[in-house]
Every structure is written in C-alpha cells, then in structure tokens.
Amino acid sequence: MSTTSSLPSPTPAEAASGPVPIRSAADVSDLVNSGTARGKHARMIVIIALGGIFLDAYDLSSLAYGLPDITKQFGLSSTMAGVVTASISVGSLIGALVGGWLVDRIGRYRVFMANMLFFVITALVCSVAQDAWTLIGARFVMGIGVGMDIPVAIAFLAEFSRLRGKGSKGSRTAAWSPAWYAATSGCYLVIMALYFLLPDAHLGWLWRFTVGFGAIPALVVLLLRRRYMNESPTWAADQGDLEGAAGILRQSYGVDAYVPDDVEGKTERPQRPGLASYARLFKGPYRTRTIQSVAVGLAETFGYNAVAFGLPIIIATLMTQGPLTTIASSFTLNLVFALTGGLLGIRWASTKGAWPMMSLGFAIQLVAITVLALIGQPSGTAVVTAGILMLGAFMFAQGFGPGAHIMSYASLGFPTSMRGVSIGFNQAVLRLGSTLTLFFFPILSTGLGTGVYWVILGAPVLGLIALLVKRWEPVGFDADAEERELSLRST
C-alpha cells in the first residue's frame, strides 16, 4: 500500500464543499488534524470517551471514604487494608498492558465496548461482598477494566480531534483531568447524600451503596457507546482499510469521503502489531519521550494517590476532623479546586502548552506540601483552615498541571500505530507506582503521622527534575507526520 498520497490532499475549502478523495492514511490523518472534518457525532464520541474516564475515576475513588468501615467490618490489619486499596491498581496495571496492545491490534472500538462489562458486574459484586477476599477479587477485576479503558479513551480523544486550536488534541486529552475530578466530586456527593439518608446505625454500609452506585453510570455509558461509538478513522486507515476510514468520516463527521477507483492496494492490511511493539517505545525518537512520560507520570500518580485519594485519611486522621467535615472538605476540594484547575487546563493547553503548565503545577505542589509538613498536626480553626487550603492548592495545581498533561506526554508524542501501547505502557508503570502508594500510604500515615508529608514531597521534586532535564512539548506535535517522514528516510 502506498504510504503517501499521489495527489495533493484536499484543502479545507474543498473538503467542506464537495466529495473528498481518500488516497492514503495520510489524507485521513491530515483531514482530522486540520479541523476540517467536524460533526456532532464525532463530538459525541469525545464526550463518551470522557464518560469512560469518569467511570474510571469514580470506581477508583469509591472506597476512599469507606476504608475505615471496611477495616472494621472485616477485621483487617493495616497491611490487609493496603491490599484492599491496592487491588484495583494491580488489576489496572495488567489491564493497561493488555488493553494498550489490543487497542493497536484489534482497534479502539472493540476494546471500548468490551470493557464496560467489567464496570457493571464488578461494582455490584463489590457492593455485596461478605468477606475481604471477595472484595479484593472484585476490585482487582474492576481494575482490569479501568486499565483497559484509559488507553482506548485517550486514543479516541486524540484521534477525533484537530491538531491545533479550539478542540485540539492537547485540549481534549487534557479534558480527562476535569472529567476525573467531576467523578471524584460526584463520588463524594453520593457519599454525602447517603450520609444524611442512611440511619446512624447503618452508616457502616455507606461504602457498599457508594460502590454499587457505580453500576448505574456504567450502564448509561454502555448504552451510549452502542448508539454513537465508531472506530477511529485514523486507526482504520493506518490498518490499510481506506474504505472503512472513508465510511467513518461520512458517518461521524458528515464528510463526503470516498476512495477513488485508481487507488491501488486500498484494502491491503499491514501486519498486526504483536507484543514486541512495546520494544519500539525505546527506539529512535520515542525513547526519550517514553522515559520522560513515565517519570512525570510516576511523580503525578504518587502525589495524586497520596493526597487526592488519601484526602479522607489526611483530613480525618492527620487533621483530626469528624466524619461530616471530612466528607464536605473532600467534596469541596475536588469540586472547587481540582475541577476548576482541570477546566483551566483545557483552556490553557492549546495556548500555553503542556510543559509550562506541568512545571508550574509541580512547583505549586512543592510549596503546598512543604507548608503542610511544617504545620504538622494542626491545632485551632485557623491552622486547620490553612492546612485545608494547602490541600486545595495542591489539588488546583494537579488539575491544570500534572493531572491534565500526563496524558499529553503519554499519547501526543506517539503516532496512531503505537499510541495504544505508549499509553498502555505508561499506565502500567504508573499503576505499579499507584499500587505501591495505595498499599504503603495507610501504613506510612499510621506510622509517621504528619511526617508522611516529607515523603510525599518527593513527588513534585521528581516531576520538576524530569521536566527540567529535557524541555519537550507534545501539544501541537504531529506524530503521524513524523512517522511518515521517518518511514520515507528508511526507504
């Protein structure tokens, strides 16, 4: 199959005014990247992809507040409590590796549709678990679904978006951050509502209702996916299926795309990627990008899981606050600070880029954690308020900086042919870090008390070092065009 177009690609005006010939995968990529191909259907796909991210965050957060009750009901040690919290991350590590490979091998759509079943079934099993090992097993399987969902959701966000400007790849991959915090805010809203609805004698069951509630939005997203989802046109074209890509452009974008009769090999399929495709991440220009994306990702996930996921532990234990204050503060910090930061991250992604925003975000987090460490055990309303505001500053910086752009680094520097494995590998390493953090944080917070802040301080320090070693800007970068150029050089 020809890798380059024999005739010039259509201009935006030509694409908007009449039939659009598709002669190569480059034509499809250029059409989407230019922003010429637009449509309500394509925008709906982006929204549904973000819906998947919403479910990932909800399921990861749904046990955060209920861990003390789970520990009490099942008689768990601090080590077993760590196993309960870490089980979903172990599953998501495996899901990310397998899912990232499958996304590139069999397509985005098939993986996207399959993994929803994980969310529905496991949420219900968790809610009725009668022992710790059933809960651990269900959370592990749920994690597999979470791990599979993130590579495909981010791939859709990147491949149904233009390269630059409003609605760009950078903006839409950054949109995963506010979607995440909308979910965590929603989770705490559900907890708060149940806190007032349940009788005091049954508050220990609050975590079961919260986890089980996750099955409802999962069913909604599953139904929407069946109605609106389509394969990525750039992936279909990259697989040699130009006819299929043209059909997707017609259905999802309303573009009158067609494959001319004189295009040779238009249905030729390249060799499907095997597991060895992960080795490509450490070759050529992708090596340094892979290492940097993993480094900043580890810094982000360590800080997020210790602070954001650990908010109930920090506020209730380290700040010695009651249940209602813990729930209300966790909800407010996610909704007001983190979600606002995430929305600003979308707005700033295309104009300011990922590198400056991540650097600023890590710098603010460094200051916030240092202040919390110096405060230690707060006494008095003013000091407690100052501590919570520092948590808010951390969450705000997380929203527009590291939280928004770890996906930019993991996805936008890599072409369609390897975007799934790049995100999958990145997420697998991050989930390993997340697993260790979720396992050890309850233990460390119990053993070190407020001294755990000095350990958390390592997250923004690592992030800043990784960014300062190499200033690499993924937003606005055309990785598919780079791949074509590298291919031409090799021949």
Side-chain angles (χ1 to χ4, degrees):
M1 183 185 67
S2 174
T3 58
T4 59
S5 179
S6 58
L7 293 175
S9 297
T11 66
E14 292 170 339
S17 62
V20 180
I22 301 297
R23 295 182 172 86
S24 70
D27 286 346
V28 177
S29 176
D30 291 343
L31 192 64
V32 175
N33 285 345
S34 68
T36 301
R38 301 178 184 178
K40 292 181 179 180
H41 203 153
R43 288 193 292 272
M44 191 64 187
I45 290 175
V46 170
I47 293 172
I48 296 171
L50 291 173
I53 298 294
F54 182 97
L55 290 173
D56 299 341
Y58 183 93
D59 287 330
L60 283 168
S61 304
S62 57
L63 279 189
Y65 177 79
L67 188 58
D69 290 323
I70 294 170
T71 302
K72 182 178 179 181
Q73 286 177 25
F74 296 145
L76 304 181
S77 64
S78 59
T79 300
M80 280 300 293
V83 173
V84 170
T85 57
S87 58
I88 191 169
S89 288
V90 176
S92 65
L93 187 158
I94 297 171
L97 279 175
V98 176
W101 170 62
L102 288 175
V103 163
D104 287 341
R105 183 174 177 84
I106 67 174
R108 283 67 166 132
Y109 176 81
R110 292 175 182 174
V111 178
F112 219 16
M113 292 302 297
N115 64 7
M116 273 297 98
L117 295 176
F118 285 92
F119 294 104
V120 177
I121 296 172
T122 55
L124 296 176
V125 173
C126 285
S127 68
V128 297
Q130 297 301 304
D131 59 80
W133 289 110
T134 301
L135 180 61
I136 290 168
R139 293 285 286 180
F140 171 79
V141 177
M142 180 184 287
I144 294 177
V146 170
M148 292 175 65
D149 195 64
I150 290 180
V152 68
I154 298 300
F156 267 121
L157 292 175
E159 293 165 16
F160 275 83
S161 307
R162 62 196 303 170
L163 188 61
R164 298 180 182 89
K166 185 178 180 181
S168 67
K169 298 179 188 295
S171 296
R172 284 181 171 169
T173 54
W176 91 286
S177 179
W180 189 279
Y181 287 114
T184 53
S185 300
C187 182
Y188 284 112
L189 186 61
V190 170
I191 292 172
M192 188 179 298
L194 290 170
Y195 180 84
F196 287 109
L197 290 174
L198 290 175
D200 291 344
H202 294 89
L203 285 177
W205 298 89
L206 190 152
W207 68 270
R208 294 184 181 275
F209 289 100
T210 304
V211 174
F213 183 81
I216 297 175
L219 282 172
V220 173
V221 173
L222 178 61
L223 293 174
L224 288 174
R225 286 182 177 184
R226 289 181 60 85
R227 171 68 177 83
Y228 291 103
M229 289 305 293
N230 213 331
E231 185 55 79
S232 160
T234 53
W235 180 85
D238 198 59
Q239 297 301 300
D241 186 9
L242 296 184
E243 292 284 5
I248 296 167
L249 289 171
R250 291 192 297 269
Q251 181 179 354
S252 295
Y253 289 94
V255 174
D256 188 10
Y258 71 99
V259 180
D261 294 335
D262 61 349
V263 175
E264 297 180 1
K266 58 187 176 184
T267 59
E268 181 183 342
R269 301 291 195 276
Q271 183 177 359
R272 291 185 181 272
L275 291 175
S277 58
Y278 280 101
R280 191 181 171 195
L281 295 171
F282 297 93
K283 296 178 180 178
Y286 308 120
R287 184 188 301 110
T288 55
R289 298 173 198 174
T290 299
I291 294 172
Q292 187 175 46
S293 69
V294 166
V296 296
L298 283 172
E300 183 277 340
T301 197
F302 176 37
Y304 171 81
N305 283 286
V307 176
F309 186 87
L311 277 178
I313 296 176
I314 291 173
I315 297 171
T317 304
L318 302 185
M319 294 184 174
T320 62
Q321 299 301 300
L324 185 56
T325 300
T326 300
I327 298 172
S329 298
S330 299
F331 170 71
T332 302
L333 289 170
N334 276 277
L335 182 65
V336 176
F337 291 92
L339 181 58
T340 301
L343 292 174
L344 289 174
I346 298 175
R347 187 177 185 87
W348 291 336
S350 295
T351 57
K352 301 183 184 301
W355 192 92
M357 291 297 95
M358 287 196 78
S359 300
L360 178 60
F362 279 129
I364 293 174
Q365 290 181 341
L366 179 64
V367 173
I369 296 300
T370 301
V371 173
L372 284 168
L374 294 174
I375 289 175
Q377 189 83 44
S379 59
T381 303
V383 182
V384 170
T385 301
I388 291 177
L389 287 175
M390 287 300 100
L391 290 174
F394 184 99
M395 300 287 283
F396 177 73
Q398 177 79 4
F400 74 75
H405 291 297
I406 56 166
M407 293 303 180
S408 300
Y409 274 84
S411 63
L412 300 185
F414 303 87
T416 300
S417 61
M418 58 187 297
R419 184 166 287 123
V421 296
S422 68
I423 302 170
F425 177 79
N426 179 274
Q427 284 294 300
V429 176
L430 267 56
R431 293 306 171 188
L432 177 60
S434 175
T435 301
L436 295 174
T437 305
L438 292 174
F439 177 78
F440 284 110
F441 184 73
I443 300 172
L444 289 173
S445 62
T446 300
L448 299 177
T450 58
V452 75
Y453 290 129
W454 294 113
V455 179
I456 299 172
L457 196 64
V461 171
L462 172 62
L464 285 171
I465 291 173
L467 290 170
L468 292 173
V469 167
K470 180 178 178 60
R471 180 163 183 161
W472 154 248
E473 181 54 68
V475 173
F477 183 77
D478 192 340
D480 287 316
E482 179 193 52
E483 182 185 45
R484 294 193 295 268
E485 183 179 346
L486 291 173
S487 178
L488 287 174
R489 288 179 183 176
S490 65
T491 56

